[in-house]
Amino acid sequence: MLRNEEKAQSQAKSQSTALQRRWRGASLTGDLFRLLLLVLLISAAQVSVPGTEAQSQPTGKTLIIAHRGGAQESTENTIGAFQRAAKIGADGIETDIRLTRDGVIVVYHDDYFGRVEGLAPPQRTRLVSDLTYSELSKQPLQPVSEDTGGRHVPTLDDLLANVKTVLLNIEIKPCARFGEMIDKTIAALKRFPELDRVVLEAHGMKTAEKLRAALGPRLKLQINPDFGDSIPYEVSLKHVLKFKPHSISVSYKKFSREIVEEAHEAGVEVWVWTVNTPEIAQAMYLLGADAIKTDRPTALMSLLSRRNAPPER
């Protein structure tokens, strides 16, 4: 019986590895294909031998991070969305910051003004970096879901002052006067007494090195190893893991058990983005994601609450 179990486990591991390599290298076009591959991956990762469990089952809790505050459930990147995410029990929020023309760090995802304000595409011609904060914030944002409207673009200081208890996963967006924004972000975080709640995503190793030197080991740094086509992903991943950030940010389309094992061996967490379907969330959980970023935190919290619950005694 033991020999049969070992054979089944070995076969499942081999199938899972092959599928993951195909997934990482493929050009994925279409949600149906991705979901089919995920189902196959989950099946291969599980060993149907009595008394055994899936080899990829993680031992820790998978965090739920409300992407842009939960963009499909509340108006994205607003204080109201972040506070709602904390209230419903999300472990953290993900957001983005960039710099206005008059030097204010704002919570805003897009390069161009207009999408979240509800403007038609032809009207989205002005860069956020070309607008003052007054110009950017006077336009109310288009309400989403339960929102009644009237929300406006917040600043980084608003975020730090008004979103309590949860993790703050803040991505620094490349923009005009990037160096100035980095310096101002460092100054704001030096004033913030709860730096342990910040998971700061840096674009590139030079920025990460500057942030670590300025803010010290308390800062949880996050890096996306996908630097583009100039460097193979596997090479940049090894380079990032050698730096030992708190975590890496990985698209679910690139995610694999191999990446998880390599990162965990280096003492680095793996946060995956942006997952909005239960099937993909289940696969990310089974493969060992430490955190899942999602526009639909309510749905994924419901799915994973049973899985994250401690075992009954």
Side-chain angles (χ1 to χ4, degrees):
M1 180 65 178
L2 180 60
R3 185 171 298 176
N4 290 337
E5 291 178 3
E6 291 174 347
K7 183 178 180 180
Q9 292 172 358
S10 176
Q11 183 179 6
K13 183 177 180 180
S14 176
Q15 292 172 342
S16 177
T17 300
L19 283 166
Q20 290 169 32
R21 284 173 177 164
R22 286 172 58 195
W23 183 11
R24 289 171 63 186
S27 176
L28 300 181
T29 57
D31 290 339
L32 183 60
F33 177 76
R34 287 195 292 270
L35 288 177
L36 176 60
L37 188 55
L38 284 166
V39 170
L40 291 173
L41 191 151
I42 294 169
S43 299
Q46 293 176 324
V47 182
S48 56
V49 177
T52 65
E53 296 180 354
Q55 295 302 301
S56 59
Q57 184 76 9
T59 57
K61 178 182 178 182
T62 300
L63 303 179
I64 297 297
I65 308 299
H67 183 250
R68 305 184 199 172
Q72 292 186 17
E73 298 180 354
S74 192
T75 304
E76 71 175 59
N77 282 338
T78 60
I79 299 301
F82 302 144
Q83 291 176 336
R84 174 189 177 275
K87 185 176 181 179
I88 66 175
D91 299 288
I93 61 94
E94 184 275 350
T95 191
D96 318 273
I97 57 173
R98 53 177 70 246
L99 197 68
T100 62
R101 182 160 59 87
D102 53 342
V104 178
I105 301 178
V106 292
V107 175
Y108 206 92
H109 175 269
D110 298 359
D111 289 318
Y112 287 87
F113 168 83
R115 177 183 61 84
V116 289
E117 290 79 7
L119 301 183
Q123 296 176 286
R124 304 173 194 172
T125 59
R126 292 182 293 173
L127 287 167
V128 171
S129 58
D130 289 338
L131 299 175
T132 66
Y133 177 61
S134 176
E135 291 171 329
L136 181 67
S137 61
K138 70 181 180 182
Q139 176 76 31
L141 305 181
Q142 189 77 10
V144 172
S145 188
E146 64 193 35
D147 295 350
T148 58
R151 294 184 181 179
H152 297 264
V153 175
T155 66
L156 175 60
D157 287 339
D158 293 333
L159 170 67
L160 298 178
N162 292 288
V163 184
K164 309 293 185 180
T165 70
V166 297
L167 292 170
L168 306 175
N169 181 200
I170 302 171
E171 179 180 355
I172 306 175
K173 287 291 187 184
C175 61
R177 308 199 327 274
F178 185 69
E180 178 185 342
M181 183 171 70
I182 294 298
D183 290 341
K184 288 188 172 183
T185 299
I186 289 170
L189 292 180
K190 281 184 175 180
R191 299 190 300 267
F192 187 52
E194 300 175 82
L195 187 61
D196 294 338
R197 286 202 291 120
V198 175
V199 181
L200 192 62
E201 182 172 348
H203 280 259
M205 297 300 300
K206 288 185 178 180
T207 300
E209 290 167 358
K210 181 174 181 177
L211 291 168
R212 177 173 284 177
L215 294 167
R218 283 184 60 205
L219 176 66
K220 296 179 176 69
L221 271 172
Q222 184 172 100
I223 302 173
N224 183 346
D226 194 356
F227 297 149
D229 297 333
S230 59
I231 304 175
Y233 189 85
E234 291 77 7
V235 175
S236 62
L237 176 64
K238 291 183 183 300
H239 189 51
V240 167
L241 293 180
K242 186 177 180 180
F243 180 75
K244 292 190 180 295
H246 164 269
S247 51
I248 56 174
S249 182
V250 180
S251 166
Y252 77 86
K253 299 175 186 178
K254 288 184 176 290
F255 192 85
S256 74
R257 183 62 182 170
E258 292 172 321
I259 290 176
V260 172
E261 290 175 347
E262 192 172 351
H264 285 181
E265 186 175 350
V268 176
E269 293 186 8
V270 182
W271 290 31
V272 61
W273 56 272
T274 301
V275 178
N276 293 328
T277 65
E279 296 87 352
I280 296 178
Q282 182 182 12
M284 299 300 98
Y285 171 81
L286 289 172
L287 289 173
D290 297 289
I292 296 175
K293 305 182 191 185
T294 177
D295 294 322
R296 302 178 60 209
T298 303
L300 266 61
M301 285 170 55
S302 177
L303 171 73
L304 294 183
S305 61
R306 298 184 300 277
R307 300 183 179 280
N308 286 332
E312 295 182 2
R313 296 184 180 273

